[in-house]
């Protein structure tokens, strides 16, 4: 019966299960020559291992730099969120809140266009511009959103609230509600001519915080 030829897998398994092999044959480590991916020259096993280690370190450094960049970006956004919230706290008259909320949103976050409509407001505010113009379709859409919508301008009725609807290439729709299970009582629209600014699938954590803070601030004009 012919013996089975030794395969590369057999050799690999032997070395894995015999960790002291190179201790007994240390001279082999210096004699083994491998082809370097950098220029195709022959290098020793130790040098090839060093190259692989440097490559792994480079990948880890790139990942660390990316994490630091994201961390810095999050800190900047959090700072803007705090400054925006502070301006809402400083509004003395409830009737001024919607206008300040929108203007500060554009100023603090460099949002080209923003608009806001509310419904179910207190009777004293029923004739204010912010309480007019929300269709039943918009109200139904707002209540159906469990998270902010981000993506292309798909012809939503709420886009018409903007000063220049035609310039809205991408947008986010942020529902305003008293609680997670409550129907929406308003909708905040943020829009940009940049089609990539608000993308489908983007993280919405900060947008959700904006919705929660806006909802809490605007509770002062609600019919409660």
């Amino acid at each position: 019966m012919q013996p089975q030829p030794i395969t590369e897998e057999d050799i690999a398994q032997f070395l894995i299960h015999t960790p002291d092999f190179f201790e007994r044959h240390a001279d082999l480590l210096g004699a083994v020559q491998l082809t370097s991916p950098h220029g195709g020259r022959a290098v020793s096993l130790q040098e090839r291992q060093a190259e692989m280690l440097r490559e792994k370190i480079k990948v880890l450094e790139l990942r660390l730099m990316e994490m630091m960049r994201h961390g810095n970006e999050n800190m900047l956004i959090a700072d803007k969120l705090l400054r925006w919230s502070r301006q809402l706290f400083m509004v003395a008259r409830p009737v001024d809140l919607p206008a300040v909320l929108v203007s500060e949103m554009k100023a603090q976050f460099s949002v080209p266009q923003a608009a806001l409509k509310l419904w179910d407001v207190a009777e004293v505010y029923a004739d204010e511009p912010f309480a007019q113009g929300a269709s039943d379709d918009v109200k139904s859409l707002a209540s159906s959103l469990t998270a902010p919508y981000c993506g292309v301008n798909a012809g939503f009725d709420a886009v018409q609230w903007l000063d220049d609807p035609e310039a809205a290439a991408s947008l986010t729709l942020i529902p305003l509600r008293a609680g997670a299970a409550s129907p929406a009582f308003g909708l905040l629209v943020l829009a940009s001519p940049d089609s990539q600014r608000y993308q489908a699938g983007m993280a919405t954590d900060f947008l959700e915080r904006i919705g929660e803070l806006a909802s809490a601030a605007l509770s002062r004009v609600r019919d409660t």
Side-chain angles (χ1 to χ4, degrees):
M1 181 177 179
Q2 283 292 101
Q4 292 293 325
I6 298 175
T7 65
E8 291 183 354
E9 180 64 25
D10 294 330
I11 297 172
Q13 288 299 319
F14 171 78
L15 293 176
I16 290 172
H17 292 96
T18 316
D20 58 344
F21 175 82
F22 284 111
E23 292 180 7
R24 298 195 305 272
H25 304 276
D27 55 316
L28 287 177
L29 292 176
V32 172
Q33 296 289 305
L34 303 174
T35 301
S36 171
H38 307 293
R41 62 189 179 87
V43 296
S44 67
L45 179 61
Q46 295 98 319
E47 188 174 351
R48 180 68 184 99
Q49 288 176 319
E51 287 180 350
M52 293 174 62
L53 183 58
R54 284 194 293 268
E55 290 170 359
K56 289 181 179 179
I57 291 174
K58 185 176 181 180
V59 171
L60 292 175
E61 286 177 342
L62 291 174
R63 289 180 181 173
L64 179 60
M65 290 175 64
E66 185 177 1
M67 291 174 61
M68 291 175 64
R69 180 174 61 81
H70 287 313
N72 289 334
E73 289 176 353
N74 288 340
M75 286 180 62
L76 290 173
I77 294 175
D79 184 59
K80 293 176 181 179
L81 189 63
L82 287 173
R83 284 189 270 121
W84 176 73
S85 301
R86 177 178 178 274
Q87 293 302 114
L88 298 184
F89 278 120
M90 293 178 66
V91 176
R93 301 193 312 159
V95 70
D96 296 328
L97 265 170
V100 172
L101 188 153
V102 169
S103 63
E104 287 299 318
M105 176 62 58
K106 292 193 286 187
Q108 299 293 347
F109 294 93
S110 300
V111 176
Q113 294 196 80
L116 168 70
K117 295 293 182 182
L118 305 174
W119 47 93
D120 297 331
V121 299
E123 186 176 352
V124 67
Y125 305 119
D127 294 328
E128 294 295 330
F130 61 77
Q132 302 291 323
S135 66
D136 289 340
D137 286 343
V138 167
K139 294 176 183 179
S140 177
L141 171 65
S143 290
S144 71
L145 292 174
T146 56
Y149 165 85
C150 294
V152 298
N153 179 1
F156 298 104
D157 289 348
V159 176
Q160 299 305 314
W161 304 344
L162 302 170
D163 293 334
D164 188 3
E166 298 300 323
S170 67
L171 53 86
T172 180
L173 305 176
I174 304 176
L176 307 175
R177 45 173 49 96
S182 304
F185 66 84
L187 186 67
L188 176 61
V189 183
L190 310 179
S192 171
D194 180 359
S195 62
Q196 299 301 309
R197 175 154 187 181
Y198 302 111
Q199 302 179 47
M202 68 182 290
T204 61
D205 303 65
F206 278 107
L207 295 175
E208 290 176 24
R209 300 295 85 78
I210 285 172
E212 292 169 2
L213 290 168
S215 298
L218 294 167
S219 65
R220 296 172 63 190
V221 303
R222 291 197 61 213
D223 183 14
T224 56

